Amino acid sequence: MVTIVVNGAETPVKSSPDTPLLHVLRNELGLTGPQFGCGLAQCGACSVLLGDEEVRSCVLPLAEAVGKAITTLEGLPGRWARSRGAPSHGESPLHPVQQAWIEEQTPLCGFCQSGMMIKATELLEHTPEPTTAQIKEAFTTSGPSPHLCRCGSYTAIIEAVHRASAIMREG
Amino acid sequence: MPVPPADSARLPVLTRRKLLQGGGVLMVGVALYRLQTAGPVGRSLNPAMLNSWIEIRPDNTVLLRTGNSDFGQGTVFTAYRQIVAEELNMSIEAITTIVTGDTDRTPDGGGSYGFLEAGSPNVRKAAAYTYQALLDLGAERLGVPREKLVGEDGAFSVGGRRVTYGDLVKGRDLTLTISVQERWPAGMRIVGDPPTKPVSQYKIIGKSIDNSAIKSKVSATEQWVTDVRLPEMWHARIVRPATLGSKLVSAGAVDSKAFPTARIVVKGDLVAVVSPDEWEASQAALQVTGDTKWTEWQGLPTNAGLYETLRKADWASTPVQQGKNSKEGIRPLLDGAARTLKATYQVPYMKHAPIGPTMAVADVRDDVTTVYTHTQNAQMLRRQIAQMLGVGLDEVVIRTFAGPGHYGRSNGGNAGAEDEAVILSKELGRPVRVQWTRAEDMQWSTQSPAAFSDIEIGLDAKGRMIAFQVDHHMPAMNDNRLIGAVLAGLPTLPPPTEKPPVYGKSTLNLLWDRWTYEGTTEIMERAHGTRQIGQDASPLAIGLRDHSMRSPGQFQQNFARELAISEAAALAGADPLEFRIRHATDPRVVGVLEAVRDASGWQPRPSPAPDHASDGERPVRGRGVSMLYRLDSYWASVCEVSLVPSTGVVTVERCVVAVDPGIVINPKQLQRQVEGGVTMGLSQALKEEVMFDQSGVTATDWAGYPILTMAEMPEIKVVLLNRPEVGCYGGGSEGGNVLAAPAIAAAIHDATGKILRRFPFTPANVLPVLGSG
Ligand code: FES
Ligand code: FES
């Protein structure tokens, strides 16, 4: 039994230490935002934030997540609340990235989009006002692999990141 | 989130036939309303009951049921809601509940394709019939003739008195029957023509309402198929045969020290490893894979030999299909033409490549088998599972959930894992979840068939196209077999053959790509079909299994046709866009071409460009055009590319697309769907080709089957042409993926003077053509 910090809460888990974090999140904790897309760190469907870095939970052994703060799609509202010093328990409003994803009607099937929103959050925390070129760079070459969308939502994602940036700057 | 097992109570069994006889026309006389709820009949809804389709609830909200499930098109959450709200004169917010795809909870069945042209008439008619019934109820309640009533915001008002639809149904027992017809495999169709709202009075159709499923997906409240967990459920991984034709020699054993709770299940050539723990199942499966022995098989032609093998295939046993306006006797025109084009065009195998590999959960009980999945055709899957188990249809329930887009792969029922989950659940006596790996999804799923087309075009001395002939060749699509059943030796459909049994698929190839240059009347279009490659050679009868993929068949045919038209324009010394307009007679063909011309700032001139070059390190640029008619929608695109001849790297810089779908129901959603379709088409054109050797598909991951990344995205400009006067909803965005390949090929010719008649436009394919004389 080890304890990990997920979405701001200390959480004991039973899975063996070599279990990929993705299985722990989905099967043991019922956190189903991250999806299984490849299990090979090649697509980004399973992305979560470890501290403030986007990682692929499909290849990250549980043991390596111990002691670091994990944020999944479910934890984005709380993360946004905490970053503004607001109480993060209970119902927090959606993270600006999530708001922008809805306003821009970004997902098609949506299966890749949890990972896309995690990547967008990482980008906007480091680069609050990214150019389109920086967005493309972030989603293509900054991580272990490009974030892949088979439905072709890249144009909508670029527009949504710009919108999220505007919402975040308004606070 | 756990899902409760399906209700296993035995219900009275009614056959479809009896149901249909029971259905009459809509009985709008108030005296005829009596108790009848939309409950399950033999684990099916009675499609002849109007409230199986649409329920008005006492709180003045509406529930809509549709056998179609959403694969990212969003149609059931946007357009269908808009259509219902429009016909009922209610607000969009009142359409609160949509039940999709479940075989025991939806009335119509059919496939999740053709949402608008095939599915929307049912939705519209169900809503229109319901509105007629509400008019009767309102007239009775308010004591005025029904002609005096007009619904507004879910209520009727007369002389200061107002009654909501919810009030009208409250406490009433209503029987509203309608006539339906079963049209296999398209599902139930509502017949009759209830009065519908004139297009000129539309208030909700045409508005950009949000897709209600997006919010739940973005805020992590959606229940995805991947989230289904049942009590006592085990996880499974399949150990696949070494090749697409290997039989099992001996299965390895699970190392029980390393994997204490894992077990192996062997049934024929189906080998699976199961465990209560998913990670243990996948680790143990890897270990067992290493210890399992299979026979060798080498019966595929490899990529290098593909087109030669296709050319030599048996195209004579399958009847040739001719296009509608094809004429015999155009040979003399072709032979006597002032200038002629004669060329062959090739399309590779491509993968649907859903971003999540296929998975399913099955729960086999004594009296009912429930499959939790993500399928485009739940009723077809239900039939296939019943066939495999040798049980009646009423003993199978399919529940569908949100999942990764399949782009046609599951429109014949299964996506891959469902039958394996059923076989294993039956074997273990507990619910089983089968998750395919990325490698299995690349190597063991169906794919879009490869194809080639021979085209001849004759031009007269003035450069007018006087004759056009095409012979399209493509192996069978829609291999709907359950692959687990094939491996386990259980009953399933046969592979596509020349003379298929009922519910089987044939090797027929159809003329999918309608001729759009009707100014040229001397045409001959033929489509030739054959069996799947490797199917007969494989001891498992597997080979390269094919299935329809977004714009199936038409993708293959339109690539050849549109590139040939661009080449013919070049031969005529004409601008390719003007050449197209000059040969068109349908005003919608002309309209969409003019729209893309204007939106792209197209300057007329013939191809290739005056400064074209096929060597050197300096980038050269070109532009190309393509057009398409599909499902009552008209499409045209312009692609602008740059290319470095020394490296063969092609970059698409801008893509302008015009679409005329008739009535635009929801501009924002259509725009997003079109962007998605066009992006998929760019990916197919620039990157996609299934690589295979003599034994099977060699791609195991996204490195072996790359798709477009965000960095490679050009600017996409979409022009929507709304044509309310057409009176129909067109075909959504499906055709969007067809446009890029022929337009990019034409643009490469414009830039370099060289023609690539096959894609993907990768350096490996581009460089040899640039270097050719
Ligand atoms: S599932 Fe982890 S990167 Fe694809
Ligand atoms: S939205 Fe379907 S894979 Fe990205």
Side-chain angles (χ1 to χ4, degrees), chain B residues 227-245:
Chain B
D227 308 344
V228 174
R229 300 284 183 279
L230 301 181
E232 308 293 306
M233 183 189 87
W234 278 26
H235 294 267
R237 293 289 189 279
I238 310 295
V239 175
R240 293 287 164 193
T243 75
L244 293 175

Side-chain angles (χ1 to χ4, degrees), chain B residues 36-70:
Chain B
Q36 180 80 49
T37 58
V41 181
R43 296 201 178 87
S44 301
L45 286 192
N46 182 344
M49 297 298 305
L50 188 53
N51 58 353
S52 294
W53 302 77
I54 287 179
E55 257 180 49
I56 308 267
R57 297 183 292 198
D59 64 356
N60 219 24
T61 62
V62 174
L63 177 151
L64 167 70
R65 297 189 187 84
T66 168
N68 290 340
S69 44
D70 181 56

Side-chain angles (χ1 to χ4, degrees), chain B residues 206-384:
Chain B
K207 289 228 165 70
S208 289
I209 67 144
D210 280 2
N211 173 348
S212 50
I214 284 181
K215 188 165 184 207
S216 57
K217 289 177 179 175
V218 165
S219 52
T221 54
E222 179 75 31
Q223 178 162 18
W224 295 87
V225 63
T226 49
D227 308 344
V228 174
R229 300 284 183 279
L230 301 181
E232 308 293 306
M233 183 189 87
W234 278 26
H235 294 267
R237 293 289 189 279
I238 310 295
V239 175
R240 293 287 164 193
T243 75
L244 293 175
S246 293
K247 304 282 288 176
L248 182 64
V249 176
S250 63
V254 174
D255 173 353
S256 57
K257 267 219 191 70
F259 309 110
T261 49
R263 277 176 52 189
I264 186 166
V265 179
V266 181
K267 235 181 137 38
D269 296 305
L270 182 69
V271 180
V273 175
V274 293
S275 161
D277 180 79
E278 184 170 14
W279 182 234
E280 186 185 59
S282 64
Q283 293 297 99
L286 276 182
Q287 175 255 307
V288 169
T289 301
D291 299 336
T292 300
K293 301 206 166 31
W294 303 92
T295 58
E296 267 309 310
W297 178 71
Q298 297 194 320
L300 296 175
T302 77
N303 293 88
L306 173 62
Y307 294 109
E308 201 188 323
T309 301
L310 278 181
R311 173 72 70 188
K312 290 197 206 129
D314 171 15
W315 302 101
S317 303
T318 299
V320 178
Q321 300 297 297
Q322 276 193 9
K324 213 170 62 211
N325 299 314
S326 284
K327 289 185 185 161
E328 299 293 343
I330 68 164
R331 188 76 257 160
L333 280 173
L334 290 167
D335 289 342
R339 272 163 290 180
T340 52
L341 168 77
K342 189 171 179 200
T344 296
Y345 302 82
Q346 298 167 334
V347 173
Y349 283 105
M350 290 173 283
K351 280 282 169 192
H352 306 85
I355 209 75
T358 186
M359 53 73 48
V361 175
D363 188 6
V364 180
R365 306 276 172 121
D366 286 347
D367 58 344
V368 65
T369 291
T370 309
V371 182
Y372 302 84
T373 188
H374 171 59
T375 172
Q376 288 172 269
N377 200 323
Q379 292 288 358
M380 201 104 101
L381 176 61
R382 181 191 192 197
R383 194 177 289 274
Q384 292 164 356

